[in-house]
Amino acid sequence: MTNGVKELIALAVSQVGIKEKYSNGHWVNNSKYNQWFGRIPGYGEDGYGYPWCAAFQSWLLDKTGLKALGPRTASCLATVAWFKARKRWSAYPALGAQILFGPGGGTHVGLVVGYDRSYVYTVEGNTNVSGGAEGDGVWRKTRVRRDTNVYGYGYPDYSGGSLSADPDASKFGYKYKEVATVADLTPKATAPAKTRVVTVKAGQTLSAIAVAAGITLATLLSLNTGIKDPDKVQAGDKVTLPAAVPSTPKVTTTPTPKVTPKPTVKPKPKPTKTTPKFTAFPGAKYFGPGKSNKYVTQLGTALIKHGYKDFYKVGAGPKWSESDRQAVQAFQRSQGWSGTSADGIPGKETWDRLITGKNIQPRVKAVRATRMSASTGRASLTYSNNLDGWIREALVVMKAHGIPGTYEGIHRNIIRESGGNPRICNTTDINAQRGTPSCGLLQTIAPTFKAYHVSGTSWDVFDPVANIAAACNYAAHNYGSIDNVNGPY
Protein backbone atom coordinates (compact mmCIF):
# COMPACT_ATOMS: atom_id res chain seq x y z
CA MET A 1 0.00 0.00 0.00
CA THR A 2 1.34 3.45 -0.93
CA ASN A 3 -1.49 5.43 0.64
CA GLY A 4 0.47 6.86 3.55
CA VAL A 5 -0.01 4.13 6.18
CA LYS A 6 3.53 2.82 5.83
CA GLU A 7 4.96 6.33 5.67
CA LEU A 8 3.03 7.42 8.77
CA ILE A 9 4.30 4.42 10.74
CA ALA A 10 7.86 4.95 9.46
CA LEU A 11 7.81 8.58 10.59
CA ALA A 12 6.45 7.55 14.02
CA VAL A 13 9.19 4.93 14.44
CA SER A 14 11.83 7.50 13.44
CA GLN A 15 10.75 9.67 16.39
CA VAL A 16 11.32 6.95 19.02
CA GLY A 17 13.73 8.21 21.67
CA ILE A 18 12.97 11.91 21.22
CA LYS A 19 12.31 13.39 24.66
CA GLU A 20 10.57 16.42 26.13
CA LYS A 21 12.20 19.12 28.27
CA TYR A 22 13.64 18.17 31.68
CA SER A 23 13.64 20.85 34.38
CA ASN A 24 14.14 20.90 38.17
CA GLY A 25 14.19 17.11 38.44
CA HIS A 26 11.04 16.52 36.36
CA TRP A 27 9.93 16.06 32.79
CA VAL A 28 7.74 19.08 32.10
CA ASN A 29 5.80 18.09 28.93
CA ASN A 30 7.39 20.78 26.75
CA SER A 31 8.39 18.91 23.55
CA LYS A 32 8.94 19.79 19.91
CA TYR A 33 5.38 18.55 19.28
CA ASN A 34 3.99 21.07 21.81
CA GLN A 35 6.01 23.79 20.07
CA TRP A 36 4.52 22.74 16.72
CA PHE A 37 0.95 22.56 18.06
CA GLY A 38 1.09 25.89 19.87
CA ARG A 39 0.40 27.34 23.31
CA ILE A 40 -2.61 26.35 25.42
CA PRO A 41 -3.44 29.01 28.06
CA GLY A 42 -3.29 27.90 31.68
CA TYR A 43 -0.36 25.47 31.33
CA GLY A 44 3.19 25.97 32.55
CA GLU A 45 6.24 26.38 30.32
CA ASP A 46 4.66 29.53 28.84
CA GLY A 47 1.65 27.51 27.65
CA TYR A 48 3.65 24.57 26.25
CA GLY A 49 3.57 22.33 29.34
CA TYR A 50 0.47 20.27 28.50
CA PRO A 51 0.24 16.48 27.89
CA TRP A 52 1.14 15.96 24.23
CA CYS A 53 0.25 12.37 23.26
CA ALA A 54 -2.64 13.58 21.02
CA ALA A 55 -0.62 16.50 19.62
CA PHE A 56 2.02 13.93 18.56
CA GLN A 57 -0.60 12.04 16.54
CA SER A 58 -1.70 15.30 14.89
CA TRP A 59 1.94 16.10 14.07
CA LEU A 60 2.43 12.70 12.40
CA LEU A 61 -0.62 13.19 10.15
CA ASP A 62 0.42 16.73 9.27
CA LYS A 63 4.03 15.87 8.39
CA THR A 64 2.99 13.00 6.10
CA GLY A 65 0.43 15.09 4.24
CA LEU A 66 -2.47 13.20 5.82
CA LYS A 67 -3.79 15.88 8.18
CA ALA A 68 -7.35 15.53 6.81
CA LEU A 69 -7.49 11.96 8.18
CA GLY A 70 -7.58 12.92 11.86
CA PRO A 71 -8.26 15.85 14.19
CA ARG A 72 -5.71 18.55 14.96
CA THR A 73 -6.05 18.38 18.73
CA ALA A 74 -4.23 17.93 22.02
CA SER A 75 -7.29 16.23 23.56
CA CYS A 76 -7.84 12.46 23.63
CA LEU A 77 -11.58 12.95 24.23
CA ALA A 78 -11.77 15.20 21.14
CA THR A 79 -9.98 12.46 19.18
CA VAL A 80 -12.59 9.88 20.21
CA ALA A 81 -15.44 12.25 19.33
CA TRP A 82 -13.88 13.05 15.92
CA PHE A 83 -13.63 9.41 14.82
CA LYS A 84 -17.01 8.41 16.28
CA ALA A 85 -18.77 11.31 14.52
CA ARG A 86 -17.44 9.93 11.22
CA LYS A 87 -18.41 6.36 12.12
CA ARG A 88 -14.77 5.27 11.99
CA TRP A 89 -14.57 3.69 15.44
CA SER A 90 -13.85 0.03 16.18
CA ALA A 91 -13.13 -2.32 19.07
CA TYR A 92 -10.37 -3.96 17.01
CA PRO A 93 -6.80 -2.85 16.22
CA ALA A 94 -5.67 -1.87 12.71
CA LEU A 95 -2.37 -0.77 11.22
CA GLY A 96 -2.19 3.03 11.31
CA ALA A 97 -5.20 3.30 13.67
CA GLN A 98 -5.11 5.45 16.80
CA ILE A 99 -5.55 3.45 20.04
CA LEU A 100 -7.28 5.28 22.91
CA PHE A 101 -6.98 4.41 26.61
CA GLY A 102 -8.86 5.01 29.85
CA PRO A 103 -12.48 5.91 30.66
CA GLY A 104 -14.13 7.24 27.52
CA GLY A 105 -10.74 7.10 25.78
CA GLY A 106 -9.75 10.32 27.52
CA THR A 107 -6.48 9.28 29.17
CA HIS A 108 -3.91 8.54 26.43
CA VAL A 109 -3.49 7.82 22.70
CA GLY A 110 -0.93 5.99 20.54
CA LEU A 111 -0.41 4.73 16.97
CA VAL A 112 -0.88 1.04 16.11
CA VAL A 113 2.14 -0.30 14.19
CA GLY A 114 1.31 -4.01 14.54
CA TYR A 115 -0.96 -6.50 16.30
CA ASP A 116 -1.48 -10.20 16.92
CA ARG A 117 -4.10 -12.25 18.77
CA SER A 118 -2.89 -11.13 22.22
CA TYR A 119 -1.04 -7.85 21.88
CA VAL A 120 -1.08 -4.47 20.14
CA TYR A 121 2.27 -2.90 19.23
CA THR A 122 2.34 0.89 19.27
CA VAL A 123 4.41 4.06 19.06
CA GLU A 124 3.24 6.58 21.66
CA GLY A 125 4.18 10.11 22.62
CA ASN A 126 4.32 11.45 26.19
CA THR A 127 5.00 7.97 27.62
CA ASN A 128 8.01 6.14 29.05
CA VAL A 129 9.71 2.76 29.12
CA SER A 130 9.88 2.47 32.92
CA GLY A 131 6.17 1.96 33.55
CA GLY A 132 5.96 5.01 35.82
CA ALA A 133 3.26 7.65 35.74
CA GLU A 134 5.48 10.41 34.28
CA GLY A 135 5.90 10.41 30.50
CA ASP A 136 9.15 11.68 29.02
CA GLY A 137 9.24 11.00 25.28
CA VAL A 138 8.28 8.92 22.23
CA TRP A 139 8.59 5.18 22.78
CA ARG A 140 7.50 1.81 21.40
CA LYS A 141 4.99 0.03 23.67
CA THR A 142 3.39 -3.43 23.81
CA ARG A 143 -0.22 -3.39 25.01
CA VAL A 144 -2.48 -6.30 25.97
CA ARG A 145 -5.33 -6.32 23.46
CA ARG A 146 -8.00 -7.23 25.98
CA ASP A 147 -6.76 -4.95 28.76
CA THR A 148 -9.74 -3.14 30.30
CA ASN A 149 -7.79 0.12 29.95
CA VAL A 150 -7.99 -0.10 26.13
CA TYR A 151 -11.06 1.92 25.12
CA GLY A 152 -11.03 1.43 21.34
CA TYR A 153 -9.57 2.49 18.00
CA GLY A 154 -10.05 5.40 15.60
CA TYR A 155 -9.63 4.43 11.92
CA PRO A 156 -8.21 7.12 9.58
CA ASP A 157 -9.81 7.02 6.12
CA TYR A 158 -6.67 6.02 4.21
CA SER A 159 -7.06 5.91 0.44
CA GLY A 160 -7.09 2.17 -0.23
CA GLY A 161 -7.60 1.39 3.45
CA SER A 162 -5.33 -0.60 5.75
CA LEU A 163 -5.28 -3.98 7.55
CA SER A 164 -7.61 -4.60 10.49
CA ALA A 165 -8.53 -7.36 12.97
CA ASP A 166 -12.19 -6.25 12.76
CA PRO A 167 -14.30 -8.96 11.06
CA ASP A 168 -16.31 -6.02 9.65
CA ALA A 169 -13.19 -4.28 8.32
CA SER A 170 -14.70 -3.73 4.88
CA LYS A 171 -17.16 -1.13 6.22
CA PHE A 172 -14.13 1.11 6.89
CA GLY A 173 -12.57 0.34 3.51
CA TYR A 174 -9.95 -1.83 5.30
CA LYS A 175 -9.03 -5.48 4.71
CA TYR A 176 -9.46 -8.10 7.43
CA LYS A 177 -6.27 -9.75 8.69
CA GLU A 178 -6.14 -11.55 12.02
CA VAL A 179 -2.46 -10.75 12.61
CA ALA A 180 -0.60 -7.91 10.88
CA THR A 181 2.74 -6.08 10.84
CA VAL A 182 4.07 -3.23 8.72
CA ALA A 183 5.67 -5.82 6.43
CA ASP A 184 2.17 -6.92 5.39
CA LEU A 185 1.62 -3.48 3.83
CA THR A 186 4.44 -4.08 1.36
CA PRO A 187 3.35 -5.67 -1.95
CA LYS A 188 5.26 -8.62 -3.38
CA ALA A 189 8.75 -7.73 -4.53
CA THR A 190 9.08 -6.27 -8.02
CA ALA A 191 12.00 -4.80 -9.91
CA PRO A 192 13.44 -1.90 -7.87
CA ALA A 193 12.11 1.48 -8.95
CA LYS A 194 14.64 3.88 -10.47
CA THR A 195 15.42 6.97 -8.42
CA ARG A 196 17.31 10.22 -8.81
CA VAL A 197 18.94 12.52 -6.30
CA VAL A 198 18.36 16.27 -6.26
CA THR A 199 20.02 19.01 -4.24
CA VAL A 200 17.83 21.27 -2.10
CA LYS A 201 18.02 24.90 -3.15
CA ALA A 202 17.76 27.90 -0.84
CA GLY A 203 14.15 28.56 0.18
CA GLN A 204 12.83 25.16 -0.95
CA THR A 205 10.68 22.98 1.31
CA LEU A 206 10.08 19.24 1.13
CA SER A 207 6.42 19.87 0.30
CA ALA A 208 7.40 22.07 -2.67
CA ILE A 209 9.92 19.48 -3.89
CA ALA A 210 7.27 16.74 -3.67
CA VAL A 211 4.73 18.80 -5.64
CA ALA A 212 7.31 19.58 -8.34
CA ALA A 213 8.12 15.87 -8.64
CA GLY A 214 4.44 14.94 -8.89
CA ILE A 215 4.41 12.85 -5.71
CA THR A 216 2.97 13.20 -2.21
CA LEU A 217 5.02 14.28 0.78
CA ALA A 218 4.37 10.82 2.31
CA THR A 219 5.96 9.14 -0.74
CA LEU A 220 8.96 11.48 -0.58
CA LEU A 221 9.50 10.65 3.10
CA SER A 222 9.29 6.91 2.34
CA LEU A 223 12.23 7.33 -0.07
CA ASN A 224 14.21 9.37 2.47
CA THR A 225 14.01 7.49 5.75
CA GLY A 226 16.94 9.44 7.15
CA ILE A 227 14.82 12.60 7.37
CA LYS A 228 13.47 12.70 10.92
CA ASP A 229 11.92 16.15 10.84
CA PRO A 230 10.20 17.21 7.58
CA ASP A 231 10.41 20.84 8.70
CA LYS A 232 14.19 20.83 8.92
CA VAL A 233 15.74 20.84 5.44
CA GLN A 234 18.63 23.07 4.36
CA ALA A 235 20.12 24.24 1.10
CA GLY A 236 22.63 21.67 -0.09
CA ASP A 237 20.84 18.64 1.43
CA LYS A 238 20.37 15.65 -0.89
CA VAL A 239 16.85 14.29 -1.48
CA THR A 240 15.96 11.08 -3.31
CA LEU A 241 13.05 11.21 -5.78
CA PRO A 242 11.52 8.76 -8.26
CA ALA A 243 13.31 8.87 -11.61
CA ALA A 244 11.52 11.01 -14.19
CA VAL A 245 9.57 8.84 -16.64
CA PRO A 246 10.86 9.54 -20.19
CA SER A 247 8.25 10.44 -22.74
CA THR A 248 7.58 7.77 -25.37
CA PRO A 249 7.70 9.06 -28.98
CA LYS A 250 4.63 8.38 -31.03
CA VAL A 251 5.03 5.76 -33.76
CA THR A 252 2.98 6.30 -36.92
CA THR A 253 1.80 3.10 -38.56
CA THR A 254 -0.34 2.37 -41.57
CA PRO A 255 -3.71 1.19 -40.37
CA THR A 256 -4.73 -2.31 -41.34
CA PRO A 257 -8.27 -2.63 -42.73
CA LYS A 258 -10.56 -4.23 -40.22
CA VAL A 259 -12.19 -7.51 -41.10
CA THR A 260 -15.39 -8.11 -39.23
CA PRO A 261 -15.67 -11.82 -38.43
CA LYS A 262 -19.02 -13.52 -38.38
CA PRO A 263 -20.36 -13.62 -34.86
CA THR A 264 -20.15 -16.96 -33.14
CA VAL A 265 -23.13 -17.80 -31.02
CA LYS A 266 -21.97 -19.44 -27.83
CA PRO A 267 -24.42 -21.63 -25.93
CA LYS A 268 -25.46 -20.17 -22.62
CA PRO A 269 -23.77 -21.99 -19.75
CA LYS A 270 -26.07 -23.80 -17.42
CA PRO A 271 -26.30 -22.07 -14.05
CA THR A 272 -24.59 -23.94 -11.26
CA LYS A 273 -25.78 -23.86 -7.72
CA THR A 274 -23.20 -22.75 -5.16
CA THR A 275 -23.61 -23.67 -1.54
CA PRO A 276 -22.03 -21.24 0.95
CA LYS A 277 -19.39 -22.72 3.22
CA PHE A 278 -20.80 -23.83 6.54
CA THR A 279 -18.81 -25.06 9.51
CA ALA A 280 -20.69 -27.88 11.20
CA PHE A 281 -21.15 -27.75 14.98
CA PRO A 282 -17.85 -29.05 16.41
CA GLY A 283 -19.35 -30.16 19.72
CA ALA A 284 -19.92 -28.64 23.15
CA LYS A 285 -16.48 -29.81 24.31
CA TYR A 286 -14.92 -26.85 22.48
CA PHE A 287 -16.77 -24.27 24.59
CA GLY A 288 -16.69 -23.26 28.25
CA PRO A 289 -14.15 -22.16 30.89
CA GLY A 290 -10.55 -22.92 29.94
CA LYS A 291 -11.27 -23.56 26.25
CA SER A 292 -9.25 -21.78 23.56
CA ASN A 293 -9.68 -22.52 19.86
CA LYS A 294 -10.83 -21.15 16.50
CA TYR A 295 -14.46 -22.17 17.12
CA VAL A 296 -14.72 -19.77 20.08
CA THR A 297 -13.56 -16.95 17.79
CA GLN A 298 -16.05 -18.00 15.08
CA LEU A 299 -18.87 -18.10 17.65
CA GLY A 300 -18.01 -14.66 19.07
CA THR A 301 -17.75 -13.15 15.57
CA ALA A 302 -21.22 -14.48 14.72
CA LEU A 303 -22.69 -13.13 17.97
CA ILE A 304 -21.25 -9.68 17.25
CA LYS A 305 -22.61 -9.82 13.70
CA HIS A 306 -26.12 -10.62 14.97
CA GLY A 307 -26.34 -7.77 17.48
CA TYR A 308 -24.58 -8.94 20.65
CA LYS A 309 -21.50 -6.69 20.30
CA ASP A 310 -22.15 -4.89 23.60
CA PHE A 311 -21.09 -8.00 25.53
CA TYR A 312 -17.57 -7.70 24.11
CA LYS A 313 -15.33 -4.86 25.29
CA VAL A 314 -12.55 -5.79 22.87
CA GLY A 315 -14.04 -8.25 20.39
CA ALA A 316 -14.12 -11.94 19.64
CA GLY A 317 -11.08 -14.06 20.47
CA PRO A 318 -10.05 -17.71 20.72
CA LYS A 319 -10.09 -17.86 24.53
CA TRP A 320 -13.49 -18.54 26.09
CA SER A 321 -14.55 -15.74 28.43
CA GLU A 322 -17.47 -14.68 30.58
CA SER A 323 -18.36 -12.26 27.77
CA ASP A 324 -18.89 -15.26 25.45
CA ARG A 325 -21.10 -17.03 27.99
CA GLN A 326 -23.25 -13.95 28.63
CA ALA A 327 -23.63 -13.22 24.91
CA VAL A 328 -24.60 -16.83 24.13
CA GLN A 329 -27.10 -16.88 27.02
CA ALA A 330 -28.67 -13.60 25.86
CA PHE A 331 -28.98 -15.03 22.34
CA GLN A 332 -30.54 -18.25 23.66
CA ARG A 333 -33.09 -16.34 25.76
CA SER A 334 -33.98 -14.20 22.75
CA GLN A 335 -34.83 -17.41 20.90
CA GLY A 336 -37.40 -18.14 23.61
CA TRP A 337 -35.36 -20.85 25.30
CA SER A 338 -34.89 -21.27 29.06
CA GLY A 339 -33.41 -23.60 31.66
CA THR A 340 -30.56 -25.78 30.36
CA SER A 341 -31.36 -24.60 26.83
CA ALA A 342 -30.24 -21.10 27.87
CA ASP A 343 -27.16 -21.91 29.97
CA GLY A 344 -24.71 -19.86 27.90
CA ILE A 345 -23.00 -22.90 26.33
CA PRO A 346 -23.81 -23.34 22.61
CA GLY A 347 -25.48 -26.53 21.42
CA LYS A 348 -26.05 -27.56 17.81
CA GLU A 349 -29.20 -25.43 17.37
CA THR A 350 -27.54 -22.34 18.85
CA TRP A 351 -24.50 -22.84 16.62
CA ASP A 352 -26.51 -23.51 13.44
CA ARG A 353 -28.67 -20.40 13.87
CA LEU A 354 -25.71 -18.13 14.58
CA ILE A 355 -23.46 -19.43 11.82
CA THR A 356 -26.11 -19.67 9.08
CA GLY A 357 -28.11 -16.63 10.19
CA LYS A 358 -31.35 -18.59 9.64
CA ASN A 359 -34.37 -18.76 11.97
CA ILE A 360 -32.91 -16.14 14.33
CA GLN A 361 -35.38 -14.35 16.57
CA PRO A 362 -34.59 -10.65 17.20
CA ARG A 363 -32.72 -9.80 20.37
CA VAL A 364 -34.71 -8.88 23.49
CA LYS A 365 -33.05 -6.23 25.70
CA ALA A 366 -35.78 -5.03 28.02
CA VAL A 367 -34.82 -6.19 31.49
CA ARG A 368 -32.07 -7.97 33.33
CA ALA A 369 -32.72 -11.33 35.04
CA THR A 370 -31.36 -12.18 38.45
CA ARG A 371 -28.74 -14.89 38.61
CA MET A 372 -30.42 -16.54 41.59
CA SER A 373 -33.28 -16.08 44.00
CA ALA A 374 -32.94 -16.28 47.78
CA SER A 375 -35.13 -19.40 47.99
CA THR A 376 -34.23 -21.55 44.99
CA GLY A 377 -30.86 -20.29 43.83
CA ARG A 378 -32.27 -20.16 40.28
CA ALA A 379 -33.04 -17.17 38.06
CA SER A 380 -36.58 -16.02 38.67
CA LEU A 381 -37.04 -12.24 39.22
CA THR A 382 -36.38 -9.34 36.87
CA TYR A 383 -34.93 -5.91 37.58
CA SER A 384 -34.50 -2.71 35.61
CA ASN A 385 -31.09 -2.30 33.97
CA ASN A 386 -30.06 0.78 36.00
CA LEU A 387 -28.42 1.59 39.34
CA ASP A 388 -31.58 0.90 41.33
CA GLY A 389 -32.08 -2.46 39.60
CA TRP A 390 -28.44 -3.47 40.01
CA ILE A 391 -28.46 -2.79 43.75
CA ARG A 392 -31.75 -4.65 44.30
CA GLU A 393 -30.54 -7.62 42.28
CA ALA A 394 -27.23 -7.68 44.18
CA LEU A 395 -29.09 -7.67 47.50
CA VAL A 396 -30.94 -10.86 46.43
CA VAL A 397 -27.63 -12.51 45.51
CA MET A 398 -26.02 -11.34 48.77
CA LYS A 399 -28.91 -12.64 50.84
CA ALA A 400 -28.59 -16.07 49.24
CA HIS A 401 -24.92 -16.14 50.28
CA GLY A 402 -25.34 -14.62 53.74
CA ILE A 403 -23.50 -11.38 52.87
CA PRO A 404 -24.71 -8.41 54.98
CA GLY A 405 -25.53 -4.97 53.57
CA THR A 406 -28.41 -2.57 52.93
CA TYR A 407 -29.60 -0.62 49.92
CA GLU A 408 -28.62 2.68 51.57
CA GLY A 409 -25.12 1.49 52.47
CA ILE A 410 -24.44 0.16 48.97
CA HIS A 411 -25.90 3.23 47.23
CA ARG A 412 -23.93 5.67 49.41
CA ASN A 413 -20.62 3.97 48.67
CA ILE A 414 -21.32 3.63 44.94
CA ILE A 415 -22.04 7.36 44.60
CA ARG A 416 -18.77 8.19 46.39
CA GLU A 417 -16.65 5.66 44.50
CA SER A 418 -17.94 5.82 40.91
CA GLY A 419 -20.91 8.17 40.71
CA GLY A 420 -22.96 5.20 39.48
CA ASN A 421 -20.84 4.53 36.35
CA PRO A 422 -20.22 0.76 36.05
CA ARG A 423 -17.54 1.20 33.33
CA ILE A 424 -15.27 3.68 35.09
CA CYS A 425 -11.65 2.96 36.12
CA ASN A 426 -9.24 5.00 38.22
CA THR A 427 -6.08 5.16 36.08
CA THR A 428 -4.04 7.51 38.28
CA ASP A 429 -3.98 6.12 41.84
CA ILE A 430 -1.39 3.80 43.39
CA ASN A 431 -3.34 0.70 42.31
CA ALA A 432 -3.21 1.81 38.67
CA GLN A 433 0.53 2.44 38.96
CA ARG A 434 0.89 -1.15 40.18
CA GLY A 435 -1.04 -2.40 37.15
CA THR A 436 -4.32 -3.20 38.95
CA PRO A 437 -6.62 -0.17 38.51
CA SER A 438 -9.78 0.18 40.61
CA CYS A 439 -12.80 -0.43 38.37
CA GLY A 440 -16.59 -0.65 38.36
CA LEU A 441 -19.35 0.67 40.60
CA LEU A 442 -17.46 0.06 43.87
CA GLN A 443 -13.95 0.53 42.40
CA THR A 444 -12.67 -3.02 42.92
CA ILE A 445 -9.19 -4.10 41.84
CA ALA A 446 -8.89 -7.38 39.92
CA PRO A 447 -7.18 -9.45 42.69
CA THR A 448 -9.84 -8.43 45.24
CA PHE A 449 -12.66 -9.09 42.77
CA LYS A 450 -11.26 -12.56 42.05
CA ALA A 451 -10.69 -13.38 45.73
CA TYR A 452 -14.18 -12.28 46.87
CA HIS A 453 -16.14 -13.16 43.74
CA VAL A 454 -19.63 -14.40 44.57
CA SER A 455 -20.69 -17.66 42.93
CA GLY A 456 -23.45 -17.30 40.36
CA THR A 457 -22.42 -13.81 39.22
CA SER A 458 -20.33 -12.77 36.23
CA TRP A 459 -16.53 -12.90 36.31
CA ASP A 460 -16.46 -9.52 34.56
CA VAL A 461 -15.40 -6.80 37.05
CA PHE A 462 -17.47 -4.30 35.05
CA ASP A 463 -20.68 -6.31 35.53
CA PRO A 464 -22.65 -4.12 37.99
CA VAL A 465 -24.16 -6.91 40.09
CA ALA A 466 -20.94 -8.95 40.21
CA ASN A 467 -18.96 -5.86 41.21
CA ILE A 468 -21.38 -4.94 44.01
CA ALA A 469 -21.55 -8.50 45.33
CA ALA A 470 -17.76 -8.98 45.38
CA ALA A 471 -17.14 -5.57 46.99
CA CYS A 472 -19.76 -6.22 49.67
CA ASN A 473 -18.29 -9.66 50.31
CA TYR A 474 -14.86 -8.03 50.77
CA ALA A 475 -16.36 -5.37 53.08
CA ALA A 476 -18.12 -8.05 55.14
CA HIS A 477 -14.81 -9.86 55.73
CA ASN A 478 -12.85 -6.70 56.56
CA TYR A 479 -15.37 -4.20 58.04
CA GLY A 480 -18.31 -6.39 59.07
CA SER A 481 -20.58 -4.89 56.38
CA ILE A 482 -20.55 -2.41 53.48
CA ASP A 483 -22.77 -0.28 55.76
CA ASN A 484 -19.72 0.33 57.98
CA VAL A 485 -17.66 1.75 55.09
CA ASN A 486 -17.70 5.54 54.93
CA GLY A 487 -14.60 6.32 52.89
CA PRO A 488 -11.85 4.67 50.82
CA TYR A 489 -11.64 0.99 51.75
Side-chain angles (χ1 to χ4, degrees), residues 148 322 422-425 437-450 453 458-468 470:
T148 55
E322 180 63 16
R423 305 298 300 180
I424 197 170
C425 275
S438 305
C439 297
L441 287 177
L442 283 168
Q443 293 292 279
T444 311
I445 62 174
T448 299
F449 178 79
K450 184 177 180 181
H453 173 262
S458 168
W459 279 96
D460 181 0
V461 71
F462 292 102
D463 181 275
V465 173
N467 189 284
I468 293 172

Side-chain angles (χ1 to χ4, degrees), residues 98-385:
Q98 294 190 24
I99 177 174
L100 281 300
F101 300 89
T107 301
H108 186 58
V109 61
L111 180 74
V112 177
V113 300
Y115 61 85
D116 56 31
R117 295 175 184 85
S118 302
Y119 299 99
V120 182
Y121 305 97
T122 65
V123 173
E124 301 168 19
N126 202 191
T127 188
N128 60 56
V129 292
S130 66
E134 189 175 56
D136 59 24
V138 179
W139 301 105
R140 286 180 177 270
K141 303 288 283 186
T142 298
R143 304 288 191 175
V144 177
R145 265 184 68 171
R146 288 168 177 77
D147 192 320
T148 55
N149 196 41
V150 176
Y151 181 69
Y153 303 83
Y155 281 24
D157 191 9
Y158 296 112
S159 173
S162 185
L163 301 176
S164 164
D166 193 327
D168 249 350
S170 60
K171 74 180 180 182
F172 302 106
Y174 284 32
K175 292 181 180 178
Y176 171 74
K177 199 168 192 307
E178 191 176 15
V179 175
T181 66
V182 181
D184 295 313
L185 296 170
T186 305
K188 291 182 179 179
T190 57
K194 294 182 179 180
T195 59
R196 58 193 169 103
V197 177
V198 300
T199 302
V200 178
K201 297 177 181 178
Q204 279 188 313
T205 64
L206 290 183
S207 296
I209 294 172
V211 170
I215 60 176
T216 65
L217 177 59
T219 300
L220 184 150
L221 291 172
S222 72
L223 293 172
N224 296 271
T225 55
I227 298 177
K228 289 199 172 187
D229 192 337
D231 289 332
K232 291 183 179 179
V233 61
Q234 300 175 351
D237 288 349
K238 304 296 183 182
V239 177
T240 301
L241 297 173
V245 180
S247 58
T248 304
K250 292 184 179 179
V251 179
T252 305
T253 59
T254 304
T256 303
K258 291 184 178 180
V259 179
T260 305
K262 292 181 180 181
T264 302
V265 180
K266 293 182 179 180
K268 292 183 179 180
K270 293 182 179 179
T272 57
K273 293 183 178 180
T274 58
T275 304
K277 290 183 179 180
F278 168 67
T279 303
F281 179 55
K285 64 182 181 181
Y286 287 94
F287 306 99
K291 304 299 182 182
S292 182
N293 54 74
K294 64 180 181 179
Y295 300 114
V296 176
T297 302
Q298 191 172 358
L299 177 73
T301 301
L303 284 160
I304 291 170
K305 178 181 178 181
H306 293 300
Y308 295 81
K309 187 175 182 178
D310 54 307
F311 286 91
Y312 294 87
K313 181 172 177 58
V314 175
K319 187 176 180 179
W320 179 267
S321 68
E322 180 63 16
S323 296
D324 293 304
R325 189 198 67 77
Q326 290 182 10
V328 171
Q329 187 173 58
F331 172 80
Q332 292 169 331
R333 287 174 175 167
S334 292
Q335 308 314 296
W337 305 333
S338 60
T340 56
S341 297
D343 58 2
I345 302 297
K348 184 177 185 304
E349 185 63 24
T350 297
W351 176 270
D352 289 352
R353 291 195 186 192
L354 282 168
I355 302 304
T356 65
K358 296 179 180 179
N359 302 320
I360 290 180
Q361 300 300 313
R363 182 178 174 188
V364 178
K365 289 203 303 183
V367 293
R368 172 188 179 105
T370 58
R371 286 156 182 76
M372 60 180 64
S373 71
S375 58
T376 66
R378 298 178 63 85
S380 59
L381 304 175
T382 57
Y383 297 94
S384 57
N385 194 22

Side-chain angles (χ1 to χ4, degrees), residues 63-101:
K63 297 308 174 187
T64 48
L66 302 171
K67 62 183 178 182
L69 304 189
R72 189 182 192 281
T73 182
S75 165
C76 294
L77 288 174
T79 299
V80 173
W82 193 93
F83 282 109
K84 284 190 173 182
R86 289 158 179 78
K87 300 187 184 304
R88 301 199 65 80
W89 187 259
S90 174
Y92 297 84
L95 295 183
Q98 294 190 24
I99 177 174
L100 281 300
F101 300 89

Side-chain angles (χ1 to χ4, degrees), residues 30-39 45 48 50:
N30 191 349
S31 71
K32 77 173 191 178
Y33 313 104
N34 301 65
Q35 296 289 329
W36 167 84
F37 187 84
R39 292 181 175 89
E45 292 295 303
Y48 292 110
Y50 50 86

